[in-house]
Amino acid sequence: MEIRLDDLSGKKIQKLIREHLNNMLEHSPPESKHALDIEALKNPDITFWSVWEEDELLGCGALKELDAQHGEIKSMRTSTAHLRKGAARKLLTFIIEESRHRGYKRISLETGSMQAFEPARRLYLSFGFTFCAPFNGYKEDRNSLFMTKEV
C-alpha cells in the first residue's frame, strides 16, 4: 500500500469523492452533512492523500489545519471494493504522524452518529480518540459526534 499526496484531478479519486458525498447524503440530513466536495478539498489549509495498491485506489483522507496546534481529519473514505484491507488504518496512522510532524497538539474530527458510521467510530476509538464537544464552529447536532486526540 502506498500513500500519495493527491491533487484531486484523477478520475478515480473524483469518483471516490462522489461516492463519499452520495453516501453522506444517504445517511445524514443536508443540514448535518459536513463532507467536503472536490473544490472545497482544494483549500490551501487542507492536505489530501489517497491510498493505492498499484493502480487500484483503496481510499483517501485529508488533514485540515485549524490553527498552528490543531488539525482536523476530513474525508476519510475507503472504497467499498476495498473494505477491511487496512487502508483506513494505514492512512490514519500516517495522518497522526503527519500531525505530530507539523507540531499539532491535537487532531479532531466530526463523524455521524448513525449506525452506518459505527465502523469509523470504532476505528477512531481504537487509535485513542475520545468523544468531545463541537469544535471550530461546529454546533451540537444529534446527527454528529465529535472526537479528538492529543498527539
Side-chain angles (χ1 to χ4, degrees), residues 68-105:
Q69 296 187 356
H70 192 188
E72 179 183 4
I73 296 173
K74 299 294 291 180
S75 299
M76 284 286 292
R77 179 71 181 192
T78 302
S79 168
T80 53
H82 297 289
L83 294 173
R84 289 173 265 305
K85 292 183 179 179
R89 194 164 278 288
K90 183 172 179 86
L91 184 56
L92 186 54
T93 300
F94 178 88
I95 289 173
I96 291 168
E97 286 305 312
E98 176 65 19
S99 298
R100 287 185 182 123
H101 177 73
R102 292 181 182 191
Y104 295 164
K105 303 286 186 230

Side-chain angles (χ1 to χ4, degrees), residues 138-150:
Y138 286 108
K139 307 283 188 240
E140 285 288 343
D141 179 348
R142 66 185 178 91
N143 298 303
S144 291
L145 294 172
F146 304 94
M147 301 180 84
T148 195
K149 174 183 176 63
E150 289 184 21

Side-chain angles (χ1 to χ4, degrees), residues 1 51-53 56-60 77-79 82 85 87:
M1 258 182 257
V51 183
W52 297 82
E53 198 162 76
E56 283 292 312
L57 176 61
L58 295 124
C60 63
R77 179 71 181 192
T78 302
S79 168
H82 297 289
K85 292 183 179 179

Side-chain angles (χ1 to χ4, degrees), residues 95-136:
I95 289 173
I96 291 168
E97 286 305 312
E98 176 65 19
S99 298
R100 287 185 182 123
H101 177 73
R102 292 181 182 191
Y104 295 164
K105 303 286 186 230
R106 172 175 305 284
I107 52 174
S108 303
L109 60 94
E110 178 276 337
T111 190
S113 63
M114 294 70 93
Q115 183 62 35
F117 297 94
E118 180 62 26
R121 292 192 300 271
R122 279 196 316 268
L123 174 69
Y124 297 128
L125 288 167
S126 77
F127 273 78
F129 283 81
T130 58
F131 293 101
C132 65
F135 60 93
N136 196 52

